[in-house]
């Protein structure tokens, strides 16, 4: 029989109750301590985001929609991030809700969301969605003014794209 004053439990995957049973030296009596409950929160799993789309130059995309994570400890927190080169992501100031509506865009933008569980139960990064921006539309030009004689055919009007 070991005489332990402290006990370090192993990694736990479900809620576990602990108490200490102490038997007197002559084995006449056994007493138990209070019960300590170690509550194990369910495994924290990331949600996802959706909303990949194509938009016109300098237009506001439709709202990007998040799906909440599961497990871990509530409340969850959210931080939207973006990049314009699909490389270095930066936090979007104030974008801390499950869903996000971007301001108007003039270049392709990739979005993802950092989802965190309370009390250090985990942080995960979601999938990435892309908002593809069509190039700026320009009407082009047509050839210059002409001055012609009455009942004459003007020169061909040419255009640029």
């Amino acid at each position: 029989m070991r005489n332990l004053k402290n006990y370090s439990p192993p990694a736990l995957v479900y809620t576990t109750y602990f108490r200490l049973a102490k038997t007197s030296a002559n084995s006449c009596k056994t007493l138990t301590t209070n019960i300590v409950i170690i509550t194990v929160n369910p495994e924290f799993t990331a949600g996802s985001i959706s909303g990949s789309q194509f938009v016109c130059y300098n237009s506001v995309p439709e709202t990007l929609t998040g799906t909440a994570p599961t497990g871990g400890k509530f409340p969850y927190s959210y931080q939207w991030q973006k990049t314009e080169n699909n490389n270095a992501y930066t936090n979007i100031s104030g974008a801390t809700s499950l869903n996000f509506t971007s301001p108007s865009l003039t270049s392709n933008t990739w979005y993802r969301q950092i989802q965190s569980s309370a009390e250090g139960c985990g942080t995960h990064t979601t999938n990435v969605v892309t908002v593809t921006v069509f190039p700026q539309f320009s009407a082009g030009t047509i050839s210059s003014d002409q001055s012609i004689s009455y009942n004459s055919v003007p020169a061909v009007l040419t255009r640029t794209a």
Side-chain angles (χ1 to χ4, degrees):
M1 168 132 309
R2 297 186 294 176
N3 187 5
L4 299 174
K5 290 185 179 180
N6 299 309
Y7 174 67
S8 295
L12 302 174
V13 294
Y14 51 88
T15 297
T16 305
Y17 298 77
F18 292 93
R19 72 178 181 186
L20 175 65
K22 182 71 173 172
T23 304
S24 64
N26 58 12
S27 298
C28 291
K29 190 169 189 176
T30 299
L31 299 174
T32 58
T33 65
N34 58 305
I35 295 174
V36 173
I37 303 169
I38 299 179
T39 302
V40 177
N41 294 305
E43 183 177 1
F44 181 62
T45 304
S48 61
I49 59 172
S50 60
S52 288
Q53 57 195 283
F54 293 87
V55 297
C56 293
Y57 184 88
N58 204 28
S59 294
V60 174
E62 292 181 18
T63 297
L64 304 178
T65 304
T67 301
T70 59
K73 179 81 172 166
F74 191 79
Y76 302 124
S77 61
Y78 308 100
Q79 176 61 63
W80 284 88
Q81 296 183 320
K82 72 174 185 172
T83 180
E84 292 178 0
N85 60 13
N86 200 16
N87 189 13
Y89 283 84
T90 57
N91 289 345
I92 302 170
S93 179
T96 56
S97 296
L98 185 58
N99 301 321
F100 173 69
T101 301
S102 170
S104 59
L105 298 175
T106 57
S107 62
N108 295 342
T109 307
W110 291 260
Y111 294 94
R112 69 183 185 185
Q113 187 181 71
I114 305 299
Q115 299 181 336
S116 299
S117 174
E119 297 182 18
C121 285
T123 297
H124 292 295
T125 303
T126 65
N127 57 299
V128 173
V129 297
T130 306
V131 177
T132 303
V133 178
F134 292 122
Q136 186 171 11
F137 181 70
S138 171
T141 60
I142 59 172
S143 55
S144 60
D145 295 340
Q146 300 177 32
S147 179
I148 61 169
S149 298
Y150 178 79
N151 204 22
S152 296
V153 176
V156 172
L157 298 175
T158 58
R159 67 167 177 88
T160 59

